[in-house]
Amino acid sequence: MYCSKENVNILTALLVAHGVRHAVVCPGSRNSAIVHNFNECPFIQCYPVTDERSAGFYAMGMAQALKQPVVVCVTSGTALLNLAPAIAEAFYQHIPLVAISADRPQQWIDQLDGQTLPQSDALGRFVKKAVSLPEPRDVEEKWYCNRLVNEALLAAMQGGPVHINVPITEPLFEYSVDELPAERKIAYAAADMSPATLSHVTRMFLSATRPMLISGQPMNPLLDEAVSIVGDDEEYVPDFVLYIGGSIVSKRLKRFLRKAKETWVVNNTGEIADTFMNLTHVFQGDGEAVADHIRFMMVMEPHPFIQKWDDLLARIRLQAESYEPAYSELAAVKYFEHYVGDAEVHYANSSAIRLANSFAQHPVWCNRGVNGIEGSLSTAAGFSCVTDKRVYCVIGDLSFFYDQNALWNQNLQGNFRILLLNNGCGGIFNMLPGLEQSPARDQYVAAAHHTSAEGICQQNDIVYLSASDMPQLRARIETLLYMESSSPVLLEVFTDPYEDEQVLKDYYKSFKI
């Protein structure tokens, strides 16, 4: 039996009609009718997560893995506000996250009643569409409710988060409806890039004197090292950049590409992203399809400028592979990447993703939409629950402890593995020139600490491993990669932040050729 709330039943029926099959649900009484319906519906699978901030990122990770919309459902009040970080990240990554919030009746907002605040536009510009469903009293209001849900779900399917607010009056706990209503579904068909446009973009690329194809996340490793070597050498500066979207980690690389004469962008949304300050053309379409076509054409007719860059990257790759770092975070990531093979790897922001930028030879996941440290662990956890593949999360200590509630989660399995780089602070701050002059750096900016993940693992049934030197590191990484376990596995690598800093500087010095 379904709930007696007509707007909730319309919402549930249209989620099913649009193919939404996964819902992360958070506790609460006001949203209980929605959660009841999801649990009752045979086409929707529920994933309970108590911490709403973690739940938002958990749902986002599921949407990344599934490449389809995923619901995160919260109760009324500040519960909704806890979704804001995940919603903002999903907005800039164009991930179809469907935030559904239960709400109090409109007449009680701002009347000092419990768990009431203006929810209908609480997520602001970080959603592609925000709707608040009426509680229908007649045929026209039913049509209106149907239309709003269709509009929101279509906006999500075009790439990005949406917010569906559902005011629910009491009584809350009546379950008297036998089946969901048959609801009108509005369909949408996206236009693909035409063959003529594809040929035009390819022709312009191949006719340039110094063309460069740039992909954001995931991107070619070692480009940052290459740019540091070529410096201001005009022979390496492109005159035409084809950018197929995604976030770029390296500030150095972005500064370098701003020297180009012009950039053409291809992305799925057609948005204007003038990252290199020289944008002249934007095309809506599949950037990877364009890149594949260009690569195919270059097999038949190699381009000398591209070959010049390929040769440089090949030399740098040999140096990176032969470099033997001392025990450090860099050594941990290099060794991990050498053996990880075919797996889904999530990197947290700050130091972790910058190390991946040097050593990962495969696509990686990272919350580079707004680059926050919160939610990386939850995102990887959500990803792991909808795939049979191994899912790894390489994460620094501040990011891990900030998001430790990702492990307070009954959905996790043994395919989820965590490499925790713990040097007792936000090590990235040691690399910022000038900040070392501030006496506030270590305690207040870098948040120095003496915390370990061992107790967190014990209370959440996580297999715990640790390493404090190179022999332990090599042995424990192999255990992390190859051991069989029905529970998640975490390896905590303890390093010294000042030694990490020196090893990283020595690594970059090795490329001064």
Side-chain angles (χ1 to χ4, degrees):
M1 302 289 282
Y2 294 94
C3 75
S4 62
K5 302 301 179 182
E6 194 157 19
N7 55 357
V8 176
N9 290 336
I10 291 172
L11 170 62
T12 308
L14 282 171
L15 287 170
V16 172
H18 281 278
V20 180
R21 297 291 181 262
H22 302 269
V24 176
V25 296
C26 302
S29 59
R30 189 63 51 166
N31 68 329
S32 62
I34 305 172
V35 174
H36 170 85
N37 266 24
F38 291 170
N39 184 62
E40 196 75 5
C41 179
F43 302 104
I44 296 177
Q45 184 171 353
C46 293
Y47 299 81
V49 178
T50 301
D51 182 326
E52 287 98 356
R53 182 173 56 79
S54 179
F57 284 102
Y58 189 88
M60 192 182 78
M62 293 173 65
Q64 287 178 334
L66 295 166
K67 296 180 172 55
Q68 59 185 239
V70 171
V71 165
V72 55
C73 177
V74 299
T75 196
S76 60
T78 54
L80 173 63
L81 303 183
N82 287 313
L83 295 182
I87 291 293
E89 182 66 31
F91 180 82
Y92 285 106
Q93 285 199 49
H94 309 291
I95 294 173
L97 191 58
V98 182
I100 297 177
S101 58
D103 199 358
R104 301 298 174 111
Q106 180 63 37
Q107 63 268 25
W108 285 106
I109 305 301
D110 291 335
Q111 300 306 306
L112 303 183
D113 197 37
Q115 289 183 285
T116 61
L117 53 82
Q119 291 184 193
S120 58
D121 60 352
L123 298 174
R125 60 156 293 184
F126 297 117
V127 290
K128 296 190 65 173
K129 186 78 175 178
V131 300
S132 192
L133 306 184
E135 293 191 277
R137 294 165 296 181
D138 54 38
V139 172
E140 187 170 309
E141 288 188 345
K142 289 180 184 178
W143 162 81
Y144 182 45
C145 185
N146 170 287
R147 195 195 84 202
L148 290 176
V149 177
N150 269 296
E151 287 178 358
L153 294 180
L154 287 174
M157 289 169 184
Q158 292 172 45
V162 298
H163 175 207
I164 301 175
N165 190 55
V166 190
I168 302 175
T169 57
E170 296 183 6
L172 302 176
F173 314 120
E174 291 184 352
Y175 315 113
S176 57
V177 175
D178 291 332
E179 58 184 23
L180 295 173
E183 288 295 318
R184 171 193 58 156
K185 173 192 172 185
I186 301 174
Y188 170 83
D192 292 326
M193 180 179 286
S194 69
T197 302
L198 176 60
S199 296
H200 175 57
V201 173
T202 303
R203 186 170 61 254
M204 290 299 296
F205 181 88
L206 294 176
S207 64
T209 304
R210 299 192 302 274
M212 181 173 284
L213 175 64
I214 289 290
S215 170
Q217 181 188 341
M219 64 181 299
N220 195 329
L222 301 173
L223 272 175
D224 187 56
E225 288 88 334
V227 169
S228 71
I229 291 173
V230 302
D232 296 323
D233 188 341
E234 289 293 327
E235 292 187 5
Y236 284 92
V237 176
D239 59 355
F240 181 91
V241 174
L242 182 61
Y243 181 31
I244 62 173
S247 177
I248 291 177
V249 175
S250 169
K251 289 183 179 179
R252 183 187 289 119
L253 178 58
K254 284 183 277 193
R255 285 195 297 266
F256 177 78
L257 293 174
R258 286 167 188 161
K259 300 176 184 178
K261 290 182 179 179
E262 67 174 316
T263 294
W264 288 19
V265 165
V266 181
N267 59 47
N268 288 321
T269 62
E271 70 175 336
I272 297 173
D274 192 12
T275 309
F276 312 134
M277 303 174 71
N278 48 27
L279 179 66
T280 59
H281 292 72
V282 177
F283 299 90
Q284 183 172 4
D286 185 349
E288 285 298 330
V290 176
D292 288 343
H293 186 66
I294 288 174
R295 294 185 190 107
F296 173 76
M297 297 298 292
M298 286 192 300
V299 169
M300 297 185 293
E301 188 178 346
H303 196 290
F305 182 74
I306 294 172
Q307 189 62 53
K308 183 183 184 74
W309 267 94
D310 285 345
D311 292 344
L312 173 63
L313 288 170
R315 294 202 310 271
I316 294 173
R317 185 171 293 110
L318 284 175
Q319 282 190 249
E321 290 174 354
S322 62
Y323 183 77
E324 293 294 338
Y327 178 73
S328 59
E329 290 185 340
L330 187 146
V333 172
K334 185 176 188 294
Y335 194 76
F336 168 80
E337 282 294 342
H338 184 73
Y339 288 102
V340 68
D342 181 27
E344 301 286 357
V345 184
H346 288 245
Y347 275 85
N349 275 306
S350 294
S351 296
I353 187 58
R354 285 167 172 80
L355 293 173
N357 220 32
S358 294
F359 297 110
Q361 296 292 323
H362 54 86
V364 301
W365 298 91
C366 184
N367 289 351
R368 295 298 294 181
V370 286
N371 307 0
I373 70 164
E374 77 283 75
S376 296
L377 190 62
S378 292
T379 302
F383 195 108
S384 73
C385 79
V386 290
T387 180
D388 293 329
K389 295 179 70 174
R390 285 278 178 89
V391 176
Y392 295 90
C393 182
V394 182
I395 188 168
D397 43 27
L398 298 191
S399 296
F400 175 85
F401 294 119
Y402 192 90
D403 195 25
Q404 62 181 278
N405 273 356
L407 303 182
W408 181 30
N409 189 314
Q410 60 186 274
N411 309 303
L412 303 183
Q413 304 294 328
N415 68 325
F416 187 37
R417 307 292 167 102
I418 302 161
L419 176 58
L420 169 56
L421 308 174
N422 188 349
N423 62 6
C425 68
I428 191 70
F429 298 108
N430 286 7
M431 301 301 296
L432 300 179
L435 186 57
E436 74 280 357
Q437 301 176 52
S438 172
R441 185 189 70 173
D442 291 350
Q443 183 175 358
Y444 299 116
V445 178
H449 65 88
H450 301 284
T451 309
S452 167
E454 185 172 9
I456 296 168
C457 290
Q458 289 176 350
Q459 71 184 22
N460 291 291
D461 192 28
I462 310 294
V463 177
Y464 177 79
L465 309 168
S466 68
S468 299
D469 56 38
M470 190 66 84
Q472 289 181 355
L473 174 65
R474 292 180 178 273
R476 300 295 190 275
I477 282 184
E478 291 185 16
T479 303
L480 178 74
L481 293 173
Y482 303 125
M483 78 172 293
E484 295 297 325
S485 172
S486 59
S487 299
V489 181
L490 179 146
L491 168 59
E492 186 168 23
V493 178
F494 294 99
T495 61
D496 180 273
Y498 301 103
E499 293 176 6
D500 286 338
E501 178 184 4
Q502 189 58 53
V503 168
L504 192 60
K505 288 180 178 177
D506 291 344
Y507 170 71
Y508 276 101
K509 285 179 182 177
S510 72
F511 293 104
K512 302 300 182 182
I513 57 176

